[in-house]
Amino acid sequence: MKPVIEKLENLFSKFNEKFYNGELQTPIITVSPDTTKGAYGWCTAWKAWSNKQPEQKKTVDLAAMSKEDLENLKKDEGFYEINICAEHLARPFEQVAETLLHEMVHLYNLQIGVQDTSRGGTYHNKKYKEAAEQHGLTVDKDAKYG
């Protein structure tokens, strides 16, 4: 898996320079099975990875957290995660690249404080479309995903 992740990291770096002038925070890029039943990838809405030593191990239930606690979690040091689902890595290179670019739009919007989805992150709104098109991605409307 290491060579695949290194290639995705390299691609992220090139896309970041070309489409974002290097302004995106570098995420942790992962490859794991699709647990969402159909996603090609995702970008976490919080900094899922930390370089700090944990004080104590605890599980966080994001659904039970207050809006204020979620905002504080987003401000913590650490790294967002962009995941590319393992089942979809065999698609043509261009499609894997599109998935990475798609997730980079979410990362961009997170950094500037724009909410670009609803319905638990599945429906993409006009703000997603605007940011995507400003950064080189063509977006068509989908009845289910926005």
Side-chain angles (χ1 to χ4, degrees), residues 99-144:
T99 299
L100 181 59
L101 281 168
H102 175 105
E103 300 310 332
M104 290 174 75
V105 174
H106 289 302
L107 179 60
Y108 171 78
N109 282 332
L110 283 165
Q111 284 183 210
I112 64 169
V114 170
Q115 183 171 343
D116 63 6
T117 61
S118 59
R119 298 184 201 159
T122 59
Y123 189 82
H124 296 67
N125 62 29
K126 289 178 186 176
K127 292 178 182 179
Y128 176 86
K129 179 179 173 60
E130 290 168 9
E133 291 179 346
Q134 288 171 0
H135 295 96
L137 197 59
T138 302
V139 177
D140 293 320
K141 186 165 178 122
D142 179 274
K144 183 176 179 183

Short mmCIF file of all heavy atoms in Angstrom, two decimals, residues 99-144:
data_model
loop_
_atom_site.label_atom_id
_atom_site.label_comp_id
_atom_site.label_asym_id
_atom_site.label_seq_id
_atom_site.Cartn_x
_atom_site.Cartn_y
_atom_site.Cartn_z
N THR A 99 -11.43 11.85 -8.17
CA THR A 99 -11.85 11.64 -6.77
C THR A 99 -10.96 12.45 -5.84
O THR A 99 -11.46 13.11 -4.92
CB THR A 99 -11.80 10.14 -6.41
OG1 THR A 99 -12.70 9.43 -7.27
CG2 THR A 99 -12.17 9.91 -4.96
N LEU A 100 -9.66 12.41 -6.07
CA LEU A 100 -8.75 13.19 -5.23
C LEU A 100 -9.06 14.68 -5.36
O LEU A 100 -9.16 15.39 -4.34
CB LEU A 100 -7.30 12.91 -5.61
CG LEU A 100 -6.24 13.65 -4.80
CD1 LEU A 100 -6.36 13.33 -3.30
CD2 LEU A 100 -4.85 13.32 -5.31
N LEU A 101 -9.26 15.17 -6.57
CA LEU A 101 -9.62 16.58 -6.76
C LEU A 101 -10.93 16.93 -6.05
O LEU A 101 -11.06 18.00 -5.45
CB LEU A 101 -9.74 16.91 -8.25
CG LEU A 101 -8.44 17.13 -8.99
CD1 LEU A 101 -8.69 17.14 -10.50
CD2 LEU A 101 -7.78 18.42 -8.54
N HIS A 102 -11.90 16.03 -6.13
CA HIS A 102 -13.20 16.22 -5.47
C HIS A 102 -12.98 16.42 -3.97
O HIS A 102 -13.52 17.35 -3.36
CB HIS A 102 -14.09 15.01 -5.74
CG HIS A 102 -15.40 15.04 -5.02
ND1 HIS A 102 -16.58 15.34 -5.66
CD2 HIS A 102 -15.71 14.80 -3.72
CE1 HIS A 102 -17.56 15.30 -4.76
NE2 HIS A 102 -17.06 14.96 -3.58
N GLU A 103 -12.20 15.54 -3.37
CA GLU A 103 -11.96 15.62 -1.92
C GLU A 103 -11.14 16.86 -1.56
O GLU A 103 -11.31 17.43 -0.49
CB GLU A 103 -11.30 14.34 -1.41
CG GLU A 103 -12.13 13.09 -1.66
CD GLU A 103 -13.59 13.17 -1.22
OE1 GLU A 103 -13.91 13.94 -0.28
OE2 GLU A 103 -14.42 12.47 -1.82
N MET A 104 -10.29 17.29 -2.46
CA MET A 104 -9.50 18.51 -2.22
C MET A 104 -10.41 19.74 -2.16
O MET A 104 -10.12 20.68 -1.42
CB MET A 104 -8.42 18.66 -3.29
CG MET A 104 -7.31 17.62 -3.15
SD MET A 104 -6.11 17.65 -4.50
CE MET A 104 -5.17 19.14 -4.08
N VAL A 105 -11.50 19.74 -2.90
CA VAL A 105 -12.46 20.84 -2.83
C VAL A 105 -13.07 20.89 -1.43
O VAL A 105 -13.19 21.96 -0.82
CB VAL A 105 -13.57 20.72 -3.90
CG1 VAL A 105 -14.64 21.79 -3.70
CG2 VAL A 105 -12.98 20.80 -5.30
N HIS A 106 -13.42 19.72 -0.88
CA HIS A 106 -13.95 19.68 0.49
C HIS A 106 -12.90 20.22 1.47
O HIS A 106 -13.24 21.00 2.38
CB HIS A 106 -14.35 18.27 0.88
CG HIS A 106 -15.57 17.76 0.20
ND1 HIS A 106 -16.80 18.38 0.28
CD2 HIS A 106 -15.76 16.65 -0.56
CE1 HIS A 106 -17.69 17.70 -0.41
NE2 HIS A 106 -17.09 16.65 -0.94
N LEU A 107 -11.66 19.83 1.30
CA LEU A 107 -10.58 20.31 2.18
C LEU A 107 -10.46 21.82 2.08
O LEU A 107 -10.35 22.51 3.10
CB LEU A 107 -9.25 19.62 1.81
CG LEU A 107 -8.03 20.03 2.61
CD1 LEU A 107 -8.22 19.74 4.10
CD2 LEU A 107 -6.79 19.32 2.08
N TYR A 108 -10.50 22.35 0.89
CA TYR A 108 -10.44 23.80 0.69
C TYR A 108 -11.58 24.50 1.44
O TYR A 108 -11.36 25.46 2.18
CB TYR A 108 -10.50 24.12 -0.81
CG TYR A 108 -10.67 25.58 -1.11
CD1 TYR A 108 -9.59 26.47 -1.03
CD2 TYR A 108 -11.92 26.10 -1.48
CE1 TYR A 108 -9.75 27.81 -1.29
CE2 TYR A 108 -12.08 27.45 -1.75
CZ TYR A 108 -11.00 28.30 -1.65
OH TYR A 108 -11.15 29.65 -1.90
N ASN A 109 -12.78 24.00 1.25
CA ASN A 109 -13.94 24.61 1.91
C ASN A 109 -13.83 24.51 3.43
O ASN A 109 -14.23 25.44 4.14
CB ASN A 109 -15.24 24.01 1.39
CG ASN A 109 -15.63 24.56 0.04
OD1 ASN A 109 -15.29 25.69 -0.30
ND2 ASN A 109 -16.32 23.77 -0.75
N LEU A 110 -13.31 23.41 3.94
CA LEU A 110 -13.10 23.29 5.39
C LEU A 110 -12.15 24.38 5.88
O LEU A 110 -12.39 25.01 6.91
CB LEU A 110 -12.50 21.92 5.74
CG LEU A 110 -13.45 20.75 5.74
CD1 LEU A 110 -12.67 19.44 5.74
CD2 LEU A 110 -14.37 20.81 6.96
N GLN A 111 -11.09 24.59 5.14
CA GLN A 111 -10.09 25.58 5.54
C GLN A 111 -10.64 27.00 5.56
O GLN A 111 -10.21 27.81 6.38
CB GLN A 111 -8.88 25.52 4.61
CG GLN A 111 -8.00 24.35 4.87
CD GLN A 111 -6.76 24.34 3.99
OE1 GLN A 111 -6.27 23.31 3.67
NE2 GLN A 111 -6.26 25.50 3.59
N ILE A 112 -11.57 27.30 4.66
CA ILE A 112 -12.10 28.67 4.62
C ILE A 112 -13.43 28.81 5.35
O ILE A 112 -14.05 29.85 5.34
CB ILE A 112 -12.21 29.21 3.17
CG1 ILE A 112 -13.21 28.41 2.34
CG2 ILE A 112 -10.83 29.25 2.51
CD1 ILE A 112 -13.55 29.06 1.00
N GLY A 113 -13.87 27.72 6.00
CA GLY A 113 -15.07 27.78 6.82
C GLY A 113 -16.38 27.74 6.05
O GLY A 113 -17.38 28.28 6.52
N VAL A 114 -16.40 27.11 4.88
CA VAL A 114 -17.61 27.01 4.07
C VAL A 114 -18.20 25.61 4.19
O VAL A 114 -17.51 24.62 3.94
CB VAL A 114 -17.30 27.32 2.58
CG1 VAL A 114 -18.49 27.00 1.70
CG2 VAL A 114 -16.89 28.79 2.43
N GLN A 115 -19.47 25.54 4.57
CA GLN A 115 -20.16 24.25 4.61
C GLN A 115 -20.65 23.95 3.21
O GLN A 115 -21.48 24.68 2.66
CB GLN A 115 -21.32 24.28 5.60
CG GLN A 115 -21.99 22.91 5.69
CD GLN A 115 -23.00 22.83 6.81
OE1 GLN A 115 -23.02 23.65 7.71
NE2 GLN A 115 -23.85 21.84 6.73
N ASP A 116 -20.15 22.86 2.63
CA ASP A 116 -20.48 22.56 1.24
C ASP A 116 -21.33 21.31 1.06
O ASP A 116 -21.57 20.90 -0.07
CB ASP A 116 -19.20 22.47 0.39
CG ASP A 116 -18.26 21.35 0.81
OD1 ASP A 116 -18.61 20.55 1.70
OD2 ASP A 116 -17.15 21.28 0.23
N THR A 117 -21.78 20.72 2.16
CA THR A 117 -22.65 19.55 2.07
C THR A 117 -23.73 19.61 3.15
O THR A 117 -23.63 20.36 4.10
CB THR A 117 -21.88 18.22 2.27
OG1 THR A 117 -21.30 18.22 3.57
CG2 THR A 117 -20.83 18.01 1.20
N SER A 118 -24.74 18.77 2.96
CA SER A 118 -25.78 18.56 3.97
C SER A 118 -26.16 17.09 3.91
O SER A 118 -25.53 16.32 3.19
CB SER A 118 -26.99 19.46 3.70
OG SER A 118 -27.52 19.21 2.42
N ARG A 119 -27.22 16.72 4.63
CA ARG A 119 -27.67 15.32 4.69
C ARG A 119 -26.54 14.38 5.08
O ARG A 119 -26.25 13.39 4.40
CB ARG A 119 -28.27 14.87 3.35
CG ARG A 119 -29.50 15.63 2.94
CD ARG A 119 -30.07 15.05 1.65
NE ARG A 119 -30.90 16.04 1.00
CZ ARG A 119 -31.21 16.02 -0.27
NH1 ARG A 119 -30.79 15.06 -1.06
NH2 ARG A 119 -31.97 16.96 -0.79
N GLY A 120 -25.85 14.73 6.15
CA GLY A 120 -24.77 13.87 6.65
C GLY A 120 -23.57 13.83 5.72
O GLY A 120 -22.82 12.88 5.71
N GLY A 121 -23.38 14.89 4.94
CA GLY A 121 -22.23 14.96 4.05
C GLY A 121 -22.45 14.34 2.68
O GLY A 121 -21.52 14.27 1.89
N THR A 122 -23.67 13.90 2.39
CA THR A 122 -23.90 13.24 1.10
C THR A 122 -24.38 14.20 0.01
O THR A 122 -24.13 13.94 -1.16
CB THR A 122 -24.93 12.10 1.21
OG1 THR A 122 -26.16 12.63 1.69
CG2 THR A 122 -24.43 10.99 2.12
N TYR A 123 -25.07 15.28 0.37
CA TYR A 123 -25.60 16.19 -0.63
C TYR A 123 -24.67 17.39 -0.78
O TYR A 123 -24.38 18.09 0.20
CB TYR A 123 -27.01 16.66 -0.26
CG TYR A 123 -27.68 17.43 -1.36
CD1 TYR A 123 -28.30 16.74 -2.41
CD2 TYR A 123 -27.66 18.81 -1.39
CE1 TYR A 123 -28.91 17.44 -3.45
CE2 TYR A 123 -28.27 19.51 -2.42
CZ TYR A 123 -28.89 18.82 -3.45
OH TYR A 123 -29.48 19.50 -4.48
N HIS A 124 -24.18 17.65 -1.97
CA HIS A 124 -23.26 18.74 -2.24
C HIS A 124 -24.05 19.96 -2.72
O HIS A 124 -24.83 19.86 -3.65
CB HIS A 124 -22.26 18.31 -3.31
CG HIS A 124 -21.38 17.19 -2.87
ND1 HIS A 124 -21.86 15.92 -2.63
CD2 HIS A 124 -20.06 17.15 -2.60
CE1 HIS A 124 -20.86 15.15 -2.26
NE2 HIS A 124 -19.76 15.86 -2.22
N ASN A 125 -23.82 21.09 -2.07
CA ASN A 125 -24.61 22.29 -2.38
C ASN A 125 -23.92 23.18 -3.42
O ASN A 125 -22.86 22.85 -3.96
CB ASN A 125 -24.93 23.05 -1.09
CG ASN A 125 -23.69 23.55 -0.38
OD1 ASN A 125 -22.66 23.83 -0.99
ND2 ASN A 125 -23.79 23.68 0.93
N LYS A 126 -24.51 24.35 -3.65
CA LYS A 126 -23.97 25.28 -4.64
C LYS A 126 -22.59 25.79 -4.26
O LYS A 126 -21.77 26.10 -5.12
CB LYS A 126 -24.93 26.47 -4.81
CG LYS A 126 -26.21 26.11 -5.52
CD LYS A 126 -27.14 27.32 -5.62
CE LYS A 126 -28.48 26.89 -6.21
NZ LYS A 126 -29.43 28.01 -6.23
N LYS A 127 -22.32 25.87 -2.97
CA LYS A 127 -21.00 26.34 -2.53
C LYS A 127 -19.91 25.33 -2.91
O LYS A 127 -18.79 25.71 -3.24
CB LYS A 127 -21.00 26.61 -1.03
CG LYS A 127 -21.86 27.81 -0.69
CD LYS A 127 -21.91 28.06 0.79
CE LYS A 127 -22.83 29.24 1.05
NZ LYS A 127 -22.95 29.53 2.46
N TYR A 128 -20.27 24.05 -2.88
CA TYR A 128 -19.33 23.03 -3.34
C TYR A 128 -19.06 23.24 -4.83
O TYR A 128 -17.90 23.28 -5.27
CB TYR A 128 -19.83 21.60 -3.10
CG TYR A 128 -18.86 20.60 -3.68
CD1 TYR A 128 -17.77 20.17 -2.94
CD2 TYR A 128 -18.98 20.18 -5.00
CE1 TYR A 128 -16.83 19.33 -3.50
CE2 TYR A 128 -18.04 19.34 -5.57
CZ TYR A 128 -16.97 18.92 -4.82
OH TYR A 128 -16.02 18.11 -5.39
N LYS A 129 -20.12 23.38 -5.61
CA LYS A 129 -20.00 23.55 -7.06
C LYS A 129 -19.14 24.77 -7.39
O LYS A 129 -18.24 24.69 -8.24
CB LYS A 129 -21.39 23.68 -7.69
CG LYS A 129 -21.38 23.89 -9.21
CD LYS A 129 -22.79 23.98 -9.75
CE LYS A 129 -22.87 24.36 -11.20
NZ LYS A 129 -22.23 23.48 -12.13
N GLU A 130 -19.39 25.88 -6.72
CA GLU A 130 -18.62 27.11 -6.97
C GLU A 130 -17.14 26.89 -6.71
O GLU A 130 -16.30 27.24 -7.54
CB GLU A 130 -19.14 28.25 -6.10
CG GLU A 130 -20.50 28.77 -6.49
CD GLU A 130 -21.11 29.70 -5.45
OE1 GLU A 130 -20.41 30.10 -4.49
OE2 GLU A 130 -22.29 30.03 -5.58
N ALA A 131 -16.81 26.32 -5.57
CA ALA A 131 -15.40 26.10 -5.22
C ALA A 131 -14.75 25.10 -6.17
O ALA A 131 -13.61 25.28 -6.59
CB ALA A 131 -15.28 25.61 -3.77
N ALA A 132 -15.48 24.05 -6.52
CA ALA A 132 -14.94 23.04 -7.43
C ALA A 132 -14.60 23.67 -8.79
O ALA A 132 -13.51 23.46 -9.32
CB ALA A 132 -15.95 21.90 -7.60
N GLU A 133 -15.52 24.45 -9.32
CA GLU A 133 -15.31 25.03 -10.63
C GLU A 133 -14.23 26.12 -10.61
O GLU A 133 -13.53 26.32 -11.60
CB GLU A 133 -16.63 25.52 -11.21
CG GLU A 133 -17.52 24.33 -11.55
CD GLU A 133 -18.88 24.67 -12.12
OE1 GLU A 133 -19.31 25.84 -12.04
OE2 GLU A 133 -19.53 23.74 -12.67
N GLN A 134 -14.05 26.78 -9.48
CA GLN A 134 -12.97 27.76 -9.34
C GLN A 134 -11.60 27.08 -9.33
O GLN A 134 -10.58 27.73 -9.57
CB GLN A 134 -13.12 28.57 -8.05
CG GLN A 134 -14.25 29.56 -8.06
CD GLN A 134 -14.48 30.17 -6.67
OE1 GLN A 134 -13.79 29.85 -5.71
NE2 GLN A 134 -15.46 31.05 -6.60
N HIS A 135 -11.60 25.79 -9.02
CA HIS A 135 -10.33 25.07 -8.88
C HIS A 135 -10.18 23.92 -9.88
O HIS A 135 -9.54 22.92 -9.60
CB HIS A 135 -10.19 24.57 -7.43
CG HIS A 135 -10.07 25.69 -6.47
ND1 HIS A 135 -11.14 26.19 -5.77
CD2 HIS A 135 -9.01 26.46 -6.13
CE1 HIS A 135 -10.74 27.21 -5.02
NE2 HIS A 135 -9.46 27.40 -5.23
N GLY A 136 -10.76 24.10 -11.06
CA GLY A 136 -10.47 23.21 -12.17
C GLY A 136 -11.30 21.96 -12.31
O GLY A 136 -10.99 21.10 -13.14
N LEU A 137 -12.35 21.80 -11.52
CA LEU A 137 -13.17 20.60 -11.59
C LEU A 137 -14.52 20.96 -12.19
O LEU A 137 -15.16 21.90 -11.75
CB LEU A 137 -13.36 20.02 -10.18
CG LEU A 137 -13.83 18.59 -10.04
CD1 LEU A 137 -12.88 17.61 -10.72
CD2 LEU A 137 -13.95 18.22 -8.57
N THR A 138 -14.95 20.21 -13.19
CA THR A 138 -16.26 20.43 -13.79
C THR A 138 -17.28 19.63 -12.99
O THR A 138 -17.06 18.46 -12.71
CB THR A 138 -16.27 19.96 -15.25
OG1 THR A 138 -15.25 20.68 -15.96
CG2 THR A 138 -17.61 20.20 -15.90
N VAL A 139 -18.40 20.27 -12.64
CA VAL A 139 -19.40 19.63 -11.78
C VAL A 139 -20.76 19.64 -12.47
O VAL A 139 -21.21 20.68 -12.95
CB VAL A 139 -19.50 20.39 -10.42
CG1 VAL A 139 -20.58 19.79 -9.56
CG2 VAL A 139 -18.16 20.36 -9.70
N ASP A 140 -21.38 18.48 -12.52
CA ASP A 140 -22.74 18.36 -13.02
C ASP A 140 -23.66 18.01 -11.87
O ASP A 140 -23.25 17.32 -10.93
CB ASP A 140 -22.84 17.24 -14.07
CG ASP A 140 -22.06 17.57 -15.33
OD1 ASP A 140 -22.09 18.75 -15.76
OD2 ASP A 140 -21.42 16.67 -15.88
N LYS A 141 -24.90 18.46 -11.93
CA LYS A 141 -25.87 18.19 -10.87
C LYS A 141 -26.33 16.74 -10.92
O LYS A 141 -26.58 16.19 -11.99
CB LYS A 141 -27.08 19.12 -10.97
CG LYS A 141 -28.03 18.95 -9.79
CD LYS A 141 -29.00 20.09 -9.70
CE LYS A 141 -29.95 19.83 -8.55
NZ LYS A 141 -29.96 20.83 -7.56
N ASP A 142 -26.44 16.13 -9.75
CA ASP A 142 -26.93 14.77 -9.59
C ASP A 142 -28.10 14.82 -8.62
O ASP A 142 -28.01 15.50 -7.59
CB ASP A 142 -25.79 13.89 -9.03
CG ASP A 142 -26.22 12.47 -8.83
OD1 ASP A 142 -26.78 12.17 -7.74
OD2 ASP A 142 -26.01 11.64 -9.73
N ALA A 143 -29.18 14.14 -8.93
CA ALA A 143 -30.37 14.19 -8.08
C ALA A 143 -30.10 13.73 -6.65
O ALA A 143 -30.63 14.30 -5.70
CB ALA A 143 -31.48 13.35 -8.70
N LYS A 144 -29.26 12.73 -6.49
CA LYS A 144 -29.01 12.18 -5.16
C LYS A 144 -27.91 12.94 -4.41
O LYS A 144 -28.00 13.16 -3.21
CB LYS A 144 -28.62 10.70 -5.27
CG LYS A 144 -28.40 10.02 -3.94
CD LYS A 144 -28.12 8.55 -4.09
CE LYS A 144 -27.89 7.89 -2.75
NZ LYS A 144 -27.55 6.47 -2.88
#
